[in-house]
């Protein structure tokens, strides 16, 4: 049965900019394949700050709405002075300065125009968009994307972890279903919230590549300019690249390119609408992440194209199996280098690792599995 779904994601999920964006777009695509009608809600100033357009795929989403943290600065309007007075007496959300009473009212107004069957909120720190009265009879789902407390702790070691984790659990408890994307997060949240928690790993269509094709690049790395990607690629460039032959060709795709110096053997592509052409021209994907929580979308996407992945131990966060999954992981630059050379020089070994990755992908990240998970939740 087709349902009316209100889907909140602060950025443009069709921007193809980063792993979290790809996750949101994939979920929208799955929901549409299940026959549901979807309206999208974004945050106006976040679209602007991220330099996102208002473009969306009309084959997936019916309408795009925006909320804002504050009304326009027109001192003659009642809305403006109401906002100013409430702001003076309301404590702002410590973890989300954009989640104001005005933003909540705008979201509530959007909901009340259609009375949706389900609301999907991306990220727990937007939980207070939910109005307990007008939305009490609709299905409320949160896609966590990450263990936010741990993610914030990596960025700020002085974080009050106890307070923030208590807030995270309290926010999640407001939903009927809590969707995680990795086994570690599933275990943590299920320990506190029980059967509300469902694990739905990221998924992609199978795009396994014909290996007989000549490849332009030996290695590929994809990433936005978040601090974890920047730190990871810098570690690779400083510690692994000097150990590799100068003939090895590397492709880096994404805004992380802005933080990479020029190298003769590195092609930098700041933005790509579609990564498939770059994956099809590459032999191995790398994921040299040193920090960050949850499944790395870039790793799952590389596996969907049949590429072996070489990474640090963080590369397989959230995987149900840490071996026999198409990934070779080690934090030692020398061993990291040895993996690269071995895969490039030994065709039999390359095919062995590649086939393990293809099998692991089909068993854990296939689109058909995700369709079944979401169908069970929504219906």
């Amino acid at each position: 049965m087709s349902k009316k779904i209100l889907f909140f994601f602060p950025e443009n999920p069709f921007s193809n900019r980063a792993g979290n964006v790809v996750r949101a777009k994939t979920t929208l695509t799955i929901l549409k394949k299940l026959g549901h009608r979807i309206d999208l809600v974004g945050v106006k100033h976040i679209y602007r700050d991220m330099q996102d357009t208002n473009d969306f795929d009309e084959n997936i989403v019916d309408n795009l709405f925006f909320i804002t943290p504050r009304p326009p600065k027109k001192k003659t309007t009642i809305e403006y002075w109401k906002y100013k007075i409430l702001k003076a007496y309301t404590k702002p959300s410590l973890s989300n300065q954009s989640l104001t009473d005005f933003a909540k009212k705008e979201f509530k107004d959007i909901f009340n125009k259609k009375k949706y069957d389900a609301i999907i909120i991306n990220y727990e720190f937007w939980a207070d968009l939910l109005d307990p009265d007008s939305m009490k009879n609709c299905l409320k789902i949160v896609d966590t994307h990450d263990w936010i407390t741990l993610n914030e702790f990596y960025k700020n070691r002085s974080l009050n972890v106890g307070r923030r984790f208590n807030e995270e659990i309290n926010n999640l408890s407001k939903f009927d279903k809590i969707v995680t994307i990795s086994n570690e997060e599933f275990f943590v949240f299920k320990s506190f919230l029980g059967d509300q928690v469902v694990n739905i790993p990221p998924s992609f269509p199978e795009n396994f590549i014909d290996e007989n094709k000549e490849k332009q690049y030996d290695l590929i790395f994809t990433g936005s300019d978040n601090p974890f990607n920047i730190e990871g690629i810098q570690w690779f460039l400083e510690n692994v690249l000097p150990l590799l032959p100068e003939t090895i060709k590397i492709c880096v795709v994404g805004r992380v390119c802005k933080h990479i110096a020029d190298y003769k053997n590195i092609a930098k592509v700041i933005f790509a609408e579609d990564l498939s052409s770059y994956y099809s021209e590459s032999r191995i994907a790398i994921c040299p992440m040193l920090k960050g929580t949850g499944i790395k979308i870039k790793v799952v996407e590389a596996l969907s194209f049949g590429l072996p992945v070489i990474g640090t131990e963080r590369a397989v966060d959230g995987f149900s199996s840490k071996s026999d999954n198409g990934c070779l992981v080690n934090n030692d630059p020398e061993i990291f280098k040895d993996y690269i050379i071995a895969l490039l020089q030994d065709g039999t070994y390359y095919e062995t690792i590649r086939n393990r990755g293809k099998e692991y992908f089909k068993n854990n990240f296939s689109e058909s599995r995700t369709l079944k998970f979401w169908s069970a939740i929504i219906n």
Side-chain angles (χ1 to χ4, degrees), residues 10 27 48 59 80 84 102 123 155 170 180 182 212 248 257 266 268 297-298 315 320-321 337 363:
T27 302
R48 183 184 65 245
N59 294 315
Y80 175 78
K84 292 289 286 186
F102 187 79
Y123 307 114
K155 298 174 184 177
N170 181 60
T180 61
S182 78
N212 293 322
I248 285 183
C257 290
I266 297 181
K268 295 187 288 184
I297 301 294
K298 62 171 71 34
S320 57
S321 173
K337 175 264 297 180
N363 291 335

Side-chain angles (χ1 to χ4, degrees), residues 11-57:
E11 309 169 46
N12 188 337
F14 298 96
S15 66
N16 296 322
R17 181 180 52 252
N20 62 319
V21 172
V22 171
R23 164 76 173 179
K25 181 182 176 182
T26 301
T27 302
L28 286 167
T29 303
I30 292 290
L31 294 171
K32 190 63 180 180
K33 286 185 177 182
L34 290 170
H36 302 303
R37 292 160 288 161
I38 310 163
D39 285 345
L40 175 65
V41 181
V43 181
K44 191 66 176 178
H45 77 273
I46 293 179
Y47 269 60
R48 183 184 65 245
D49 294 346
M50 301 302 293
Q51 299 179 341
D52 285 344
T53 69
N54 295 350
D55 297 337
F56 63 92
D57 189 337

Side-chain angles (χ1 to χ4, degrees), residues 12-18 21-22 25 53 55-57 253-254 269-279 301 305:
N12 188 337
F14 298 96
S15 66
N16 296 322
R17 181 180 52 252
V21 172
V22 171
K25 181 182 176 182
T53 69
D55 297 337
F56 63 92
D57 189 337
V253 184
V269 182
I270 291 180
F271 176 77
E273 186 69 37
D274 183 5
L275 289 173
S276 60
S277 60
Y278 295 97
Y279 280 122
E301 189 170 26
F305 283 90

